Amino acid sequence: MSALSDVQATLDPSRKSWIESANDSTSDFSIQNLPFGIFSDRHNDARRVGVAIGDQIADLAVLQSAGLLQVPAQHVFARDTLNDFIALGRDAWRGVRIQLSHLLARDTATLRDDPALRAKALVRQADAHLHLPVQIPGYTDFYSSKEHATNVGAMFRDPKNALLPNWSEMPIGYNGRASSVVVSGTPVRRPNGQLKLPDQERPVFGACRKLDIELETGFVIGGGNALGEPVACADAEAHIFGMVLLNDWSARDIQQWEYVPLGPFNAKTFATTISPWIVTLDALEPFRVAQPVQEPQPLAYLRHDGEHAFDIHLEVTLRPREARQASTIARTNFRHMYWTMAQQLAHHTVSGCNTRVGDLMGSGTISGPTEDSYGSLLELTWNGKKPLELKEGGTRSFIEDGDELTLAGWCQGDGYRVGFGTCVGEILPAQR
């Protein structure tokens, strides 16, 4: 068999694992998924590489030491980030995926029937602590949902000319702060900044009053490009290791005052939360779908043949501090994104900008065509004019202290899921 056909075999919907929790049709972490992350646990505080499978984590450092994973680098899984493994390249990622899929398959006895090794190699997710999966050299956030850009333009500019002329010609983006990207579960403090109140001539300093989320995904660079050597759109997906959920926390009132003329700054830099598991593009391949029709036709360097969107279901819940149940406030799908990941990377590098392993690229807010599919509170409440009703009473126009926001995402297969887990953050009061 060829390497490509071996990868295809890992996607077989009928493949089951001897780890029974992975066979639950609602589990994010089926044997068809096998996402990578960094974890430690209460018995071993060393951070190392793991793969989620059902309610367990497979410790790849243990499996490599036991000779069950062949990788072209020693001790590459006994590291506190995925960067060194990712840097081995696409053949290595696929090789590990193929080996793990076979090792964890229901009919493979090697690990299944070795209780001593199994006890070392598997850690319950409930007993693990998940960490930021990669060291992130650089972070860029795009603005690639036509629905989101149209809503914001209609809200703050002329509804008849909501999109600026350049929006339909290129993937708009800005360079964010890699230093403030945090892993799911990290509390986020409400930012302070300059606020321009409508009845005052000069700004005031204080805590953000319009704190918001942006429901996004992000992709992680797996193969960088040299300075001065752009990545072609047709080749771009080969440079992507995988995807995460991403919450681009946004201080709308700070943003409104500061963004002219150079775009967002302190309104975005205080925190960006990502999910801990990176889902590879190979795992997402069965869910590839056509992207929206692009009019006008993009310039030549942004053109690619085939389908480059993915059918990823996304939702957001909000739970106030005292609430027992969270309220679902939005449901949408990644397939609505106008500009593709390949186009984003091609445009990012067309000037000669280099990228590095671990660079993070945010999709931009993912909004759909209906009011309940908008990816931000700014849109869902139309800048606070239409507050949302919560399940246990009360309303929200923007996020309040103590609120916990959770993003979730998954692809639904025939009897299995390829999921991202969750991306969670609780808001703490502003520093006084």
Side-chain angles (χ1 to χ4, degrees):
M1 293 179 70
S2 69
L4 188 57
S5 62
D6 286 343
V7 172
Q8 289 294 327
T10 69
L11 303 173
D12 183 351
S14 66
R15 181 167 289 199
K16 301 296 181 184
S17 174
W18 50 262
I19 298 175
E20 286 300 328
S21 58
N23 302 325
D24 186 328
S25 62
T26 62
S27 170
D28 277 346
F29 306 121
S30 62
I31 196 170
Q32 290 81 10
N33 190 351
L34 304 178
F36 292 86
I38 298 293
F39 78 104
S40 59
D41 67 85
R42 59 186 181 182
H43 302 297
N44 182 355
D45 62 2
R47 300 185 184 190
R48 63 251 194 227
V49 178
V51 160
I53 177 74
D55 60 4
Q56 304 288 314
I57 298 173
D59 188 329
L60 302 199
V62 170
L63 294 176
Q64 185 181 22
S65 295
L68 298 184
L69 283 181
Q70 304 302 314
V71 189
Q74 290 187 341
H75 311 300
V76 73
F77 297 125
R79 310 284 169 86
D80 60 1
T81 73
L82 285 165
N83 294 60
D84 288 346
F85 168 63
I86 296 173
L88 295 177
R90 198 180 194 186
D91 288 345
W93 318 335
R94 286 181 163 176
V96 170
R97 176 180 175 84
I98 292 165
Q99 293 174 75
L100 279 173
S101 182
H102 174 70
L103 188 63
L104 297 171
R106 178 173 279 168
D107 296 334
T108 305
T110 312
L111 182 59
R112 183 194 67 194
D113 294 348
D114 187 337
L117 181 56
R118 198 173 64 239
K120 295 178 181 177
L122 293 179
V123 176
R124 291 198 323 146
Q125 289 199 40
D127 296 332
H129 184 63
L130 302 177
H131 304 278
L132 200 66
V134 287
Q135 180 184 5
I136 302 170
Y139 165 51
T140 299
D141 195 30
F142 286 93
Y143 186 55
S144 291
S145 162
K146 188 172 187 177
E147 289 81 3
H148 174 67
T150 300
N151 289 337
V152 173
M155 202 179 302
F156 293 107
R157 294 189 298 274
D158 179 7
K160 295 180 180 179
N161 297 284
L163 291 179
L164 294 173
N166 63 352
W167 194 93
S168 299
E169 298 289 355
M170 60 181 165
I172 301 296
Y174 69 93
N175 289 310
R177 286 292 299 174
S179 63
S180 55
V181 177
V182 297
V183 73
S184 174
T186 305
V188 172
R189 189 167 295 281
R190 182 181 296 272
N192 289 306
Q194 287 196 21
L195 314 174
K196 180 64 169 65
L197 304 179
D199 59 346
Q200 297 194 26
E201 182 178 348
R202 297 193 61 211
V204 299
F205 179 82
C208 166
R209 304 177 188 185
K210 291 185 174 183
L211 186 57
D212 200 358
I213 61 156
E214 289 191 347
L215 167 59
E216 302 190 22
T217 60
F219 66 85
V220 175
I221 293 295
N225 62 298
L227 190 68
E229 298 182 8
V231 174
C233 197
D235 301 330
E237 286 184 3
H239 289 256
I240 297 174
F241 176 64
M243 294 178 67
V244 294
L245 301 174
L246 186 151
N247 186 346
D248 177 28
W249 302 95
S250 300
R252 299 300 185 192
D253 42 5
I254 296 174
Q255 182 179 359
Q256 188 172 3
W257 172 237
E258 75 176 5
Y259 85 101
V260 177
L262 291 180
F265 185 45
N266 286 331
K268 301 279 192 173
T269 57
F270 61 97
T272 302
T273 303
I274 64 170
S275 52
W277 297 109
I278 303 179
V279 178
T280 64
L281 288 196
D282 281 334
L284 294 170
E285 185 60 33
F287 309 99
R288 187 181 289 272
V289 294
Q291 60 272 20
V293 175
Q294 296 180 332
E295 292 291 346
Q297 183 183 39
L299 298 181
Y301 79 95
L302 289 172
R303 296 176 196 166
H304 46 20
D305 296 327
E307 298 178 335
H308 296 277
F310 294 90
D311 184 13
I312 305 172
H313 303 273
L314 297 162
E315 67 177 33
V316 184
T317 63
L318 185 155
R319 185 176 66 84
R321 178 179 290 153
E322 304 302 326
R324 292 169 296 177
Q325 292 183 304
S327 299
T328 300
I329 61 174
R331 290 186 176 94
T332 188
N333 196 296
F334 181 75
R335 69 189 304 162
H336 297 306
M337 296 301 284
Y338 186 87
W339 294 106
T340 70
M341 293 184 289
Q343 289 172 320
Q344 290 171 338
L345 184 54
H347 183 64
H348 198 312
T349 62
V350 73
S351 65
C353 175
N354 60 317
T355 60
R356 291 174 285 184
V357 169
D359 278 353
L360 177 67
M361 310 285 176
S363 63
T365 307
I366 303 168
S367 291
T370 60
E371 290 187 2
D372 61 351
S373 66
Y374 296 161
S376 67
L377 282 165
L378 178 70
E379 296 165 90
L380 289 165
T381 71
W382 212 251
N383 199 19
K385 294 177 182 177
K386 299 188 292 183
L388 296 178
E389 300 283 342
L390 301 182
K391 181 179 291 187
E392 294 186 7
T395 62
R396 284 294 183 278
S397 295
F398 290 97
I399 302 170
E400 297 185 6
D401 292 346
D403 286 351
E404 180 183 78
L405 279 297
T406 300
L407 314 186
W410 67 93
C411 303
Q412 189 62 56
D414 182 9
Y416 73 98
R417 276 186 178 181
V418 169
F420 292 78
T422 56
C423 179
V424 183
E426 179 185 349
I427 296 301
L428 303 180
Q431 189 75 42
R432 297 188 181 278

